[in-house]
Amino acid sequence: MACKSRVSDAIATLVGVFHEYASKDCEEDHFKLSKSELKELMQKELDMDNVKDPAKLDELMKELDEDGDGQVDFLEFVGLVAGMACVCNDFIELMLSEQAKSE
Amino acid sequence: MACKSRVSDAIATLVGVFHEYASKDCEEDHFKLSKSELKELMQKELDMDNVKDPAKLDELMKELDEDGDGQVDFLEFVGLVAGMACVCNDFIELMLSEQAKSE
């Protein structure tokens, strides 16, 4: 799914990576992340090793699984990504503001 | 902002591209997209040429600019990206379902 623009590429990556992990567990719903699929995605694609702790993973699953079906669908996943992007942006804006003050 | 994981990379791209365009207009707020910055980003980074039509651009601006300040901040931008990702995902899931039926 190659695109020539960076935001389109980022969107294609999010959809592609989600489906790559959601389809790993054969018996589960291919369009949703099971807990084990979520754990692997968080570790490998978001550098979040704290999900090794079962309690942290359960907490994350509970937070993301808004419809309570025990899995994470794409809408719930993209909510996580959007939240993380906003945290990242807040940090960048803080740094840029500090930088501007010191100039 | 190189990361070793694809979702982290996608998030870094979204934040980086947003700030690249938001800082183009010198007199405007460096952390928000003006209408002209939004237009350029949509065309170059999302392949959306329909924003060449001023009426379409106005309509998009109105839709995104939830706080009515005449600009698009990162939260409003990430809402657009999340919405587009969900549309893209719905299309992919439809194709995957059709494919599964035909096998």
Side-chain angles (χ1 to χ4, degrees), chain B residues 7-24:
Chain B
V7 174
S8 298
D9 268 2
I11 289 172
T13 297
L14 294 175
V15 177
V17 167
F18 176 84
H19 283 285
E20 191 179 303
Y21 285 83
S23 56
K24 286 186 181 229

Side-chain angles (χ1 to χ4, degrees), chain B residues 72-83:
Chain B
V72 175
D73 61 31
F74 185 78
L75 185 61
E76 293 163 342
F77 169 70
V78 91
L80 167 70
V81 170

Side-chain angles (χ1 to χ4, degrees), chain B residues 11 20-21 26 30 35 40 43-44 47-48 51 54 62 68 74-75 79 81 85-87 91 99-100 102:
Chain B
I11 289 172
E20 191 179 303
Y21 285 83
C26 299
H30 270 324
K35 194 188 288 187
E40 192 180 350
Q43 288 180 287
K44 291 183 179 170
D47 315 307
M48 304 273 285
V51 290
K62 213 170 132 201
F74 185 78
L75 185 61
V81 170
C86 287
V87 169
F91 176 74
Q99 200 178 38
S102 63

